[in-house]
Amino acid sequence: MFRRLVTLATAATLSLTAGLAAPAEAATTACRPGAGSPRCQVWTGTVDWVPDGDTIRVDLAGDGTKKLVSVRIIGLQAMEQTRYSPKPQRRKGDCHALAATARLERILKAGGNKVRLTSLDASSKSGDRDLRSVAVKINGTWQDVGRQMVRGGYALWLPFPGEWAWDDAYHVAARQAAAERRGLYDTDSCGAGPAQDSGLTVTVNPDPDGADEQNLNGEWFQVHNPSAAPVPIAGWWVRDTGLRRYTFQAGTVVPAGGDVYVHVGKGTDTADHKHWGLTKPILSNADPARHSVGDGGYLFDPQGDLRNWMIYP
């Protein structure tokens, strides 16, 4: 069945409370280049500053004010910052977070910080931020900012319910970035990590038997160790593309040639079967008829390196 639970943290320090008000007669444009694109509502504006790798603050054109609105970019998930500032030297965050913010700033600057914002639904939101696809005009052509971020490995591909127009392109961009080991997909870009040569892999099961909501523990992450030595993974974590993560506790070991599973629902933990304790499924099923084209599962080491992934289908 088609469902997607998206839980995104809101940075309180940003006071991101403003939204984009849809005009009574909103202009429309093709959501993406090429034949067969749906129509999107469209706005323009000027970027004032970039809080993080998937959020911008915009002075919206034509609203008669200088009030800044907060825009969450559709289709991507950057790593998390913990300190936000227009001044780069004051920022802090997870490995890859500051690189994503800096890259987003450079793309926007190349377009003079003038942006075109589009969405299928003017009311689409992530928390108190308005969900919009963002484009800048470079050499006379509108360039999709989110696709560049995903293609460069600066952010994960994140499908949003109801805003599906970009999913196919971003899915392809994510797989290309992963194949080329760009950005996040460079498994030691944060520095040599624990068990660097162990070859740990992660596999997810997004579509358990029966109704997903009734079989939460049938939705799982599998960490496999193909090496001949056991690998301790305390402090490692798995996640879907949203912000939630499951962190392995002290004493967790993936045996040589063996596996450790993380089941999404509740249960009694054993050495090789752990339980996240969630009350709803989190991995999107691939269902093109309902505009759901997949998702991803990811394994990170304690220093923030993405060590393995499964982008599906």
Side-chain angles (χ1 to χ4, degrees):
M1 63 184 297
F2 170 64
R3 79 284 180 277
R4 174 70 170 156
L5 173 65
V6 178
T7 304
L8 297 171
T10 301
T13 56
L14 297 178
S15 298
L16 304 179
T17 58
L20 301 182
E25 297 294 335
T28 65
T29 189
C31 298
R32 59 176 186 267
S37 171
R39 302 292 292 182
C40 273
Q41 297 190 62
V42 58
W43 304 262
T44 58
T46 303
V47 176
D48 182 78
W49 70 290
V50 178
D52 61 29
D54 51 41
T55 303
I56 58 177
R57 296 275 276 168
V58 180
D59 179 6
L60 189 65
D63 66 353
T65 76
K66 293 294 184 180
K67 184 179 181 180
L68 297 180
V69 298
S70 183
V71 174
R72 174 65 164 81
I73 304 175
I74 289 171
L76 66 152
Q77 178 69 69
M79 298 300 102
E80 289 309 293
Q81 277 186 218
T82 55
R83 181 180 293 176
Y84 305 83
S85 174
K87 297 181 178 181
Q89 65 272 21
R90 295 184 179 179
R91 298 170 185 161
K92 292 185 178 180
D94 291 345
C95 181
H96 299 290
L98 304 189
T101 306
R103 176 56 179 159
L104 180 54
E105 286 178 323
R106 291 194 298 271
I107 296 172
L108 295 169
K109 185 177 180 180
N113 286 317
K114 302 294 183 181
V115 292
R116 183 183 69 180
L117 311 173
T118 54
S119 63
L120 287 166
D121 184 350
S123 66
S124 291
K125 285 184 174 292
S126 173
D128 54 9
R129 296 169 290 178
D130 292 273
L131 275 173
R132 302 291 183 258
S133 178
V134 178
V136 293
K137 186 173 283 188
I138 300 174
N139 297 325
T141 303
W142 287 108
Q143 305 287 329
D144 185 331
V145 171
R147 185 180 180 280
Q148 290 190 43
M149 293 291 290
V150 173
R151 181 67 180 86
Y154 291 95
L156 302 175
W157 164 53
L158 173 60
F160 280 96
E163 293 292 348
W164 49 266
W166 304 268
D167 279 345
D168 286 324
Y170 285 24
H171 180 205
V172 171
R175 294 184 69 87
Q176 290 172 332
E180 296 169 11
R181 298 297 195 267
R182 290 175 174 257
L184 280 158
Y185 302 98
D186 178 354
T187 58
D188 63 357
S189 57
C190 304
Q196 193 70 51
D197 298 324
S198 63
L200 293 182
T201 64
V202 65
T203 303
V204 295
N205 183 40
D207 191 9
D209 293 338
D212 293 8
E213 291 79 1
Q214 302 302 316
N215 187 11
L216 292 181
N217 286 332
E219 187 171 289
W220 42 252
F221 294 70
Q222 175 196 31
V223 179
H224 176 66
N225 176 13
S227 76
V231 178
I233 56 170
W236 294 56
W237 38 285
V238 292
R239 64 178 288 176
D240 68 334
T241 325
L243 292 181
R244 63 205 142 224
R245 65 174 69 174
Y246 174 89
T247 302
F248 292 98
Q249 301 301 305
T252 306
V253 176
V254 190
D259 308 282
V260 169
Y261 288 83
V262 178
H263 301 274
V264 168
K266 299 178 181 180
T268 301
D269 288 351
T270 66
D272 52 4
H273 286 270
K274 310 299 181 181
H275 296 83
W276 201 323
L278 301 179
T279 58
K280 294 181 180 179
I282 61 172
L283 296 166
S284 293
N285 298 339
D287 186 356
R290 298 188 181 185
H291 301 299
S292 177
V293 296
D295 197 352
Y298 305 91
L299 172 68
F300 286 81
D301 70 20
Q303 64 188 10
D305 265 319
L306 175 56
R307 298 290 291 273
N308 198 252
W309 53 88
M310 177 180 168
I311 302 169
Y312 65 88

